[in-house]
Amino acid sequence: MRVATYEHEGVERAGVVLDGVIHPLPQPVLALVEQEALHSAGAEALGEPSELTVDQVRLLPPLKPPSIRDFVGFEAHIEGVSKSLDGLEHVPEEWYRAPNFYFTNPHAAYGAHDDVPVPAGCSVLDFELEVGAVIGLAGRDLTPERAREHIVGYLVFNDWSARDLQKPEKNLGLGFSKGKDFANTLGPYLVTADEVEDRRDADGFLDLEMTVTLNGELIGRDTLANMSWTFEEMTAYASRDAWVRPGDVLGSGTCGWGALAEFWGRLGARTPPPLTPGDRVTLAVERLGTLSNQVVPGRTDVYLPRARKRGRTPRP
């Protein structure tokens, strides 16, 4: 089942998509996920005739996630991007110890075909090709075996990055800030887990082809099966001493050859160059669909409040 959230004639609705036709759902996607009613409501919706097609609507993010945890699950990506951002010639040993993640901004989501503006102060804009798993059942302290039933489906995820803003933020050791929270693209649909189960390999990985095209030219290709941890393992790790809730998105991390910074690290030069207004980035994942976003100009003013030096003399 492919579930969409869309805008049509100024109204936001949810629906099930079959053969390009949208069959409206009675409630928002997140509400149906929370009620464990997505499949039953979807089956009922497909029983009703509809003449509304995907071409007639603006696709929005399939749901409004309460949180987005983004992992770094591909060794090939770490190999390439580490030299570009950190000057490292190897994958840090710490990466192998656990499937680490950071929290990104759930309020900065764009739809599958929306324009994405360059963030203020950025001159080194990049894309990142990922897949997001969507939590369907709340859970805490899950095992990987139990975690599978907590994943309701998957979507394509572009974790846009302002590399020149991101790099100095890392020096403070607090994680990413304005280098990451300005945009992510989610969609085009929430594809339920049963739609891809037949592509699971013997080790539990989903073998789905992932490609990125820049201005019509294919520049990167990988498979989701090259992740170093399964989504179930990452979900279990995320739930250790913490809750995962319905609608939460867990990103796979960028696949190999899925970001410009990775090319820059491997080639030792910014080739292809950073994104600029007019560039079109198209990310496609087998079975899950395609995101295609054009970069447009953003704000030109930059607000940078400088810290006040207060001195170090203690009060008496």
Side-chain angles (χ1 to χ4, degrees):
M1 186 177 295
R2 287 163 174 76
V3 183
T5 296
Y6 60 93
E7 182 184 277
H8 179 61
E9 296 181 344
V11 178
E12 182 176 325
R13 291 287 303 273
V16 180
V17 179
L18 181 64
D19 297 329
V21 177
I22 302 174
H23 300 261
L25 287 164
Q27 296 183 67
V29 175
L30 181 56
L32 293 171
V33 171
E34 291 173 333
Q35 298 165 29
E36 301 180 39
L38 186 62
H39 282 87
S40 59
E44 186 173 340
L46 289 173
E48 297 294 330
S50 175
E51 297 182 355
L52 184 65
T53 67
V54 171
D55 295 336
Q56 295 173 291
V57 307
R58 173 193 167 205
L59 288 175
L60 304 172
L63 78 171
K64 296 177 181 178
S67 74
I68 303 176
R69 295 172 176 86
D70 198 10
F71 287 77
V72 279
F74 287 82
E75 187 176 20
H77 175 70
I78 295 298
E79 283 179 341
V81 82
S82 290
K83 186 175 181 181
S84 175
L85 295 182
D86 302 318
L88 300 177
E89 298 283 352
H90 62 280
V91 178
E93 183 59 34
E94 291 80 5
W95 181 82
Y96 296 97
R97 295 176 182 172
N100 288 299
F101 63 87
Y102 76 99
F103 282 93
T104 191
N105 190 353
H107 309 300
Y110 286 80
H113 305 113
D114 289 346
D115 292 342
V116 174
V118 178
C122 172
S123 60
V124 188
L125 181 62
D126 198 357
F127 55 81
E128 302 205 37
L129 169 56
E130 308 190 23
V131 167
V134 180
I135 298 298
L137 294 172
R140 181 184 174 96
D141 294 320
L142 300 172
T143 63
E145 292 73 24
R146 289 174 54 208
R148 183 169 299 182
E149 67 187 42
H150 288 257
I151 297 174
V152 68
Y154 304 90
L155 44 73
V156 188
F157 175 23
N158 188 346
D159 173 39
W160 300 84
S161 297
R163 299 299 188 188
D164 49 342
L165 306 184
Q166 177 187 0
K167 190 170 182 178
E169 291 170 350
K170 295 182 69 176
N171 295 336
L172 291 176
L174 294 176
F176 302 124
S177 178
K178 301 311 292 181
K180 281 287 190 179
D181 78 337
F182 60 93
N184 49 71
T185 306
L186 302 172
Y189 313 117
L190 167 59
V191 179
T192 54
D194 57 292
E195 292 281 347
V196 296
E197 187 59 32
D198 64 314
R199 299 303 300 272
R200 192 178 298 276
D201 66 20
D203 296 317
F205 295 93
L206 296 172
D207 187 9
L208 304 176
E209 185 178 64
M210 308 171 70
T211 61
V212 54
T213 301
L214 179 58
N215 297 326
E217 179 183 355
L218 179 67
I219 63 171
R221 186 192 303 271
D222 200 359
T223 171
L224 193 60
N226 280 337
M227 291 168 62
S228 290
W229 295 274
T230 66
F231 276 114
E232 291 77 13
E233 289 169 332
M234 294 192 298
T235 301
Y237 185 72
S239 74
R240 191 180 80 187
D241 302 313
W243 285 93
V244 290
R245 300 284 187 184
D248 285 352
V249 172
L250 277 62
S252 64
T254 309
C255 67
W257 298 272
L260 293 176
E262 190 176 330
F263 287 87
W264 303 336
R266 295 183 189 280
L267 299 175
R270 286 184 176 170
T271 304
L275 301 172
T276 57
D279 285 335
R280 178 167 291 277
V281 178
T282 302
L283 310 183
V285 179
E286 186 180 4
R287 300 279 185 99
L288 302 187
T290 301
L291 309 176
S292 187
N293 302 100
Q294 182 164 315
V295 178
V296 297
R299 293 177 52 188
T300 57
D301 58 316
V302 181
Y303 175 58
L304 289 175
R306 295 287 182 176
R308 297 169 180 84
K309 294 187 178 182
R310 295 300 193 182
R312 296 173 178 82
T313 303
R315 289 188 177 185

